[in-house]
Amino acid sequence: MALLEIENLVVEFETASGPFRAVNGVSMKVHEGEVLAIVGESGSGKSVSMLAAMGLLPWTAKVTADKLTFNGRDLLSMSANERRKIIGKEIAMIFQEPVASLNPCFTVGFQIEEVLRMHLGLDRAARRKRAIELFEAVGIADPAERLGSYPHQMSGGQCQRVMIAIAIACNPKLLIADEPTTALDVTIQKQILDLLMKLQADYGMGLIMITHNMGVVAETADRVVVQYKGRKMEEADVLTLFENPKSNYTRALLAALPDNATGDRLPTISELFVDDQIEGAAR
Ligand SMILES: Nc1ncnc2c1ncn2[C@@H]1O[C@H](COP(=O)(O)OP(=O)(O)O)[C@@H](O)[C@H]1O
Ligand SMILES: [Mg+2]
């Protein structure tokens, strides 16, 4: 059985100029222990589709799907209360902006211990012990001391390690990483990706890696969903995608990889292919 199963997900936002379809009939499955990458340029509906699946969008979003299940349980018909027991515990998410995702008013120790208290009901001593273990697991030096730091006292890379520690605190079955390295320096990006892949393997988690970067896809994914303008353009295992891409859009994304680009500026997708061609291939 798939961990997360999404069939024909549609997300519409009410706007002043009428409804806007940010996600237009996307389907995908993630299995236990599998790494699924969702790749596509900015605005293609990657974040919105995952936030919709988690029930985390504002009320202005209209979400429908033929199927939306986690471990066989229907997420759409679930009460907010039931869903809260799953999100953050069995499904965890990490976001692009680690510093903004943490609360500036509380120490990072308080923030990780709060998750351990809320979802696992651990007492004070057990929380502290587990928090130190988790900081160690994500490679934070002097973990006991670090628990007393505020987010602004840590670097972006350190904050992302804290976010990852919080995400894995309850041993989630599924981790959704939404552009987890995009806001970080290039040298740190690689370290964070390596850490995520190590934890994914150690914990046997399903992982959804959202990225606009084909390099990240190559480093991490077993299977890939390519998304464009709210639609799924292509889905393939990672080798097939790189060796034999079916859609023009995927070819355009591959051509934008630094290794393949000519000159010192990356070509944009619209320079490589006009929208019509790309969309034509989706039909
Ligand atoms: N709360 C919102 N209200 C209206 N439109 C939104 C909202 N959130 C996202 N969108 C729009 O939905 C589209 C998809 O956004 P998003 O999923 O964030 O793209 P990305 O693939 O970069 O993650 C974008 O055009 C974005 O402007
Ligand atoms: Mg996004």
Side-chain angles (χ1 to χ4, degrees):
M1 184 172 59
L3 216 44
L4 181 69
E5 214 170 327
I6 300 175
E7 264 174 42
N8 194 25
L9 176 71
V10 175
V11 183
E12 271 184 7
F13 291 104
E14 271 316 321
T15 72
S17 56
F20 165 66
R21 259 192 194 204
V23 180
N24 194 357
V26 164
S27 303
M28 65 185 81
K29 280 184 192 179
V30 196
H31 297 91
E32 230 165 275
E34 181 186 42
V35 183
L36 175 76
I38 305 178
V39 66
E41 71 192 61
S42 175
S44 52
K46 306 182 297 294
S47 298
V48 167
S49 42
M50 284 305 111
L51 291 170
M54 301 300 101
L56 296 174
L57 285 174
W59 62 272
T60 50
K62 193 169 141 257
V63 178
T64 59
D66 293 344
K67 188 172 190 181
L68 184 51
T69 59
F70 177 71
N71 248 341
R73 284 172 291 173
D74 182 18
L75 290 168
L76 277 178
S77 64
M78 207 174 263
S79 71
N81 221 358
E82 279 176 287
R83 202 184 292 130
R84 260 195 299 275
K85 285 186 204 144
I86 296 182
I87 311 295
K89 185 166 186 235
E90 293 181 64
I91 309 176
M93 280 187 91
I94 48 179
F95 299 95
Q96 180 169 341
E97 293 287 347
V99 184
S101 305
L102 288 163
N103 189 323
C105 305
F106 297 102
T107 64
V108 293
F110 176 83
Q111 296 183 58
I112 191 165
E113 288 186 33
E114 188 55 16
V115 172
L116 295 168
R117 187 186 64 76
M118 203 166 57
H119 285 300
L120 304 181
L122 298 184
D123 68 26
R124 219 160 199 241
R127 290 203 296 266
R128 186 174 162 81
K129 182 165 169 282
R130 178 78 178 127
I132 292 172
E133 280 170 14
L134 285 162
F135 274 20
E136 264 164 11
V138 299
I140 293 176
D142 304 320
E145 209 168 294
R146 269 320 194 173
L147 289 175
S149 298
Y150 287 86
H152 73 268
Q153 295 171 317
M154 304 178 96
S155 67
Q158 291 289 320
C159 284
Q160 195 58 298
R161 286 178 196 271
V162 171
M163 287 307 302
I164 294 169
I166 292 174
I168 62 166
C170 305
N171 277 320
K173 294 193 178 74
L174 177 66
L175 178 63
I176 301 174
D178 190 352
E179 310 252 10
T181 60
T182 303
L184 305 174
D185 293 344
V186 180
T187 49
I188 309 296
Q189 287 182 3
K190 172 90 174 96
Q191 293 173 14
I192 295 291
L193 273 190
D194 288 349
L195 170 65
L196 277 173
M197 297 318 291
K198 179 181 181 306
L199 292 170
Q200 185 271 330
D202 288 355
Y203 286 60
M205 290 180 290
L207 174 64
I208 299 181
M209 177 68 78
I210 301 179
T211 180
H212 62 269
N213 183 333
M214 276 291 189
V216 172
V217 174
E219 294 231 352
T220 60
D222 300 316
R223 212 152 43 78
V224 190
V225 164
V226 181
Q227 212 166 295
Y228 176 71
K229 285 195 176 172
R231 274 187 277 171
K232 181 162 85 174
M233 305 299 289
E234 178 164 3
E235 176 172 354
D237 68 83
V238 69
L239 279 180
T240 309
L241 191 91
F242 275 77
E243 282 174 7
N244 193 12
K246 282 203 180 63
S247 84
N248 283 342
Y249 183 65
T250 308
R251 279 195 282 278
L253 285 177
L254 289 169
L257 270 176
D259 280 347
N260 297 336
T262 50
D264 47 14
R265 190 181 63 85
L266 294 179
T268 64
I269 300 295
S270 55
E271 284 170 342
L272 287 157
F273 293 96
V274 290
D275 276 3
D276 292 358
Q277 261 179 307
I278 293 169
E279 288 188 3
R283 282 186 208 113

